[in-house]
Structures are given as structure tokens and as C-alpha cells.
């Protein structure tokens, strides 16, 4: 008889019963990030209806909208010429009455090596194309994890990544998350960074051609029309489970839209 306990990660207590909205930094407002904000809006509204303080989102992206972004990304023609982050956040705030913020700049240290004050958050979600950007985020998060804050202490990093037909979502903890005693489960306090666990794989999978697309047709040769949307829905379901269930036996998944398969990644 197999008596091994199921390994699970219990959500940090502050996420379940916060005194203020949970701060979320979303990094990247392209094919994935532009759709992710809508999903976060749904989570925010649902949490508030359940008596939770909800979310406060800050979106980071210095890219300016072009015609090539229309169609696959969630933008309108009248928004071309605006920064992606500004266009999305303005639209969301008008529609939902939120007070979320846009940062029309990259999420990175300044020329003096200082981390922006606005970089402080409880949850970080990356939707970036370049592997180098992920490693830059990881460096900042490791530095922030060594600091102590009474509020907005960094807790989780949820990374979205994809190629043309495949993608993955990986949940990491920023430092160890205190776990309760459990007779039923084997609790796991630390989930490794995607850059530590899959760093070599990320570097190998990075596309050689990272030049911007000049049209939607060219963009679709690099990323399929619905790969971003499917990753967003499943990835945000993982995030939602942290809030709703207070625990998760999974920390992500590998997804293949071409053959419609998804392989979960168990907490280990």
C-alpha cells in the first residue's frame, strides 16, 4: 500500500486575508500580457465579491503600439501610437473603476543599479519574450527577497512563456513561504525560480530572430493566434486556485496547442 503523502504548497496567509489590495506587478503587455490584464480584472472582481481586498495591478511595458499588434493582441486601431501599458490600464480603469497603474518603461534597475520603488509588490507575473529579461527579473526578485517589509513583501513569481504553438506557465516562490503543519499532505515551502530550474532550456529555446513583426501575418508566423489566450486562461486558473483553495498540488504546466495536450507540473 502506497502511503506517500501528496506534496502541496499552501498559499501565504497574507494573500488569503490581506488588509489592503494585493499588489501585482505584471511585466509585459504584448500577446499574453494584454489578455492577462482582463483575467486579473475578473479575479479582482470575484475576490472583492467574496469579501477579499482584491488586487492592485501595475503594468510595465515600454513598447509603443503599431498596426502589427492589432488582432493577435488586445488592442484597438485607435490606440496605435500609445504605449501598450498606458492603453490597457486606461481602458481597464475607465471600464471597471479601478485605480491600476501603467509604467511606460522596462522593469529593470536604473543606470546606477537601483531598483525602482514601484518594483515592490507581492506577486510578479512575467509575460516577456526575451530570456534575458527573465534573468533580469530574477535578479531583482532575489535582491528584493533579502529585504524585510511589513507590507508588499514579495511572495510569488508566475512566469508565462511561449513559442509558436507551445508554452509553459511556472509558479515560483520568492523565498520560503511558511507552511502549516499537516497530517494529510507533505507541505513544500519553496518553489524554485524558473530561471534556476529551466535556465538552460530557456536559453536553448530562445528564437534567433527577435526583430519586431511588421504585420499581423508576419507575427502569426512566430506565435499562433490562440497560444497566448490559452496560456492566460490556464495560468490564471492556477493563480485563482491559490486564492480560492488556499493551496495547490501543481506549480504550472507545459502546453501544446498544436496537438491539444497539457502536462501539469506537480509540486515537488
Amino acid at each position: 500500500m502506497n502511503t506517500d503523502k501528496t506534496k502541496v504548497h499552501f498559499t501565504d496567509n497574507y494573500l488569503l486575508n490581506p488588509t489592503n489590495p494585493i499588489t501585482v506587478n505584471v511585466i509585459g503587455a504584448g500577446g499574453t500580457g494584454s489578455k492577462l490584464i482582463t483575467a486579473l480584472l475578473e479575479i479582482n472582481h470575484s475576490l472583492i465579491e467574496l469579501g477579499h481586498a482584491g488586487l492592485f495591478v501595475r503594468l510595465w511595458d515600454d513598447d509603443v503600439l503599431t498596426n502589427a499588434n492589432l488582432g493577435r493582441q488586445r488592442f484597438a486601431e485607435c490606440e496605435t501610437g500609445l504605449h501598450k501599458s498606458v492603453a490597457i490600464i486606461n481602458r481597464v480603469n475607465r471600464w471597471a473603476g479601478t485605480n491600476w497603474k501603467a509604467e511606460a518603461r522596462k522593469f529593470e534597475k536604473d543606470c546606477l543599479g537601483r531598483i525602482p520603488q514601484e518594483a515592490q509588490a507581492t506577486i510578479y507575473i512575467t509575460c516577456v519574450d526575451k530570456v534575458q529579461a527573465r534573468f533580469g527579473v530574477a535578479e531583482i526578485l532575489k535582491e528584493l527577497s533579502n529585504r524585510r517589509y511589513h507590507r508588499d513583501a514579495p511572495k510569488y513569481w508566475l512566469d508565462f512563456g511561449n513559442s509558436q504553438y507551445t508554452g509553459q506557465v511556472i509558479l515560483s516562490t520568492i523565498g520560503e513561504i511558511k507552511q502549516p503543519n499537516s497530517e494529510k499532505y507533505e507541505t513544500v515551502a519553496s518553489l524554485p525560480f524558473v530561471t534556476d530550474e529551466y535556465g538552460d532550456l530557456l536559453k536553448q529555446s530562445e528564437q534567433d530572430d527577435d526583430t519586431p513583426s511588421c504585420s499581423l501575418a508576419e507575427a502569426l508566423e512566430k506565435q499562433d493566434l490562440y497560444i497566448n489566450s490559452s496560456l492566460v486562461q490556464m495560468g490564471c486558473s492556477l493563480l485563482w486556485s491559490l486564492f480560492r483553495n488556499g493551496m495547490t498540488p501543481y506549480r504550472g504546466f507545459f502546453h501544446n496547442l498544436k496537438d491539444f495536450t497539457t502536462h501539469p507540473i506537480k509540486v515537488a
Side-chain angles (χ1 to χ4, degrees):
M1 181 178 178
N2 187 0
T3 59
D4 290 343
K5 295 181 180 179
T6 301
K7 292 183 178 180
V8 302
H9 173 78
F10 282 89
T11 309
D12 184 83
N13 284 333
Y14 182 69
L15 268 70
L16 302 179
N17 190 27
T19 54
N20 295 284
I22 298 294
T23 53
V24 182
N25 269 333
V26 177
I27 303 158
T32 301
S34 62
K35 297 177 174 66
L36 177 76
I37 295 298
T38 301
L40 291 179
L41 201 61
E42 295 168 345
I43 291 177
N44 176 63
H45 180 80
S46 299
L47 287 174
I48 291 173
E49 289 296 306
L50 293 170
H52 190 278
L55 306 176
F56 171 77
V57 175
R58 192 180 298 272
L59 178 60
W60 300 71
D61 199 308
D62 67 334
D63 280 351
V64 174
L65 272 165
T66 67
N67 287 330
N69 301 133
L70 305 180
R72 192 178 62 82
Q73 301 180 19
R74 192 150 291 168
F75 297 106
E77 186 174 358
C78 62
E79 294 172 324
T80 55
L82 298 175
H83 282 95
K84 293 180 179 180
S85 55
V86 173
I88 293 172
I89 293 300
N90 283 348
R91 190 193 321 146
V92 164
N93 287 342
R94 286 196 302 268
W95 186 62
T98 49
N99 188 33
W100 294 359
K101 302 297 182 182
E103 294 289 341
R105 52 177 169 158
K106 293 181 179 179
F107 184 87
E108 61 185 8
K109 295 181 180 180
D110 64 18
C111 59
L112 298 177
R114 297 172 302 191
I115 299 174
Q117 184 178 357
E118 296 82 5
Q120 189 69 34
T122 301
I123 299 174
Y124 296 80
I125 304 178
T126 42
C127 311
V128 296
D129 294 328
K130 297 181 180 180
V131 171
Q132 182 182 359
R134 282 191 180 88
F135 280 91
V137 170
E139 181 181 344
I140 291 176
L141 296 187
K142 287 178 180 178
E143 186 170 332
L144 288 174
S145 69
N146 294 325
R147 304 179 183 180
R148 295 291 179 266
Y149 294 86
H150 295 291
R151 181 171 170 263
D152 290 349
K155 300 292 185 181
Y156 293 100
W157 176 15
L158 189 64
D159 177 70
F160 289 74
N162 68 279
S163 56
Q164 186 173 8
Y165 296 106
T166 62
Q168 71 284 329
V169 176
I170 308 291
L171 176 69
S172 306
T173 59
I174 303 172
E176 290 193 354
I177 304 297
K178 185 178 179 181
Q179 299 288 285
N181 296 325
S182 176
E183 295 183 359
K184 184 176 181 180
Y185 301 106
E186 179 181 345
T187 60
V188 178
S190 180
L191 307 176
F193 276 13
V194 61
T195 48
D196 293 335
E197 189 172 18
Y198 298 104
D200 292 339
L201 182 62
L202 289 172
K203 292 174 182 177
Q204 292 173 7
S205 64
E206 187 170 33
Q207 297 180 357
D208 295 330
D209 180 13
D210 61 355
T211 55
S213 302
C214 296
S215 67
L216 175 59
E218 186 177 338
L220 290 173
E221 291 298 318
K222 298 178 180 179
Q223 298 186 47
D224 190 60
L225 185 58
Y226 289 107
I227 183 62
N228 306 104
S229 300
S230 56
L231 284 174
V232 164
Q233 295 303 309
M234 296 181 67
C236 283
S237 179
L238 173 59
L239 181 61
W240 172 245
S241 72
L242 288 178
F243 287 105
R244 190 63 171 143
N245 302 325
M247 57 176 282
T248 177
Y250 302 103
R251 54 178 297 256
F253 57 88
F254 292 102
H255 183 55
N256 189 323
L257 194 59
K258 199 166 188 177
D259 60 15
F260 302 106
T261 58
T262 302
H263 299 283
I265 304 171
K266 293 184 177 182
V267 169

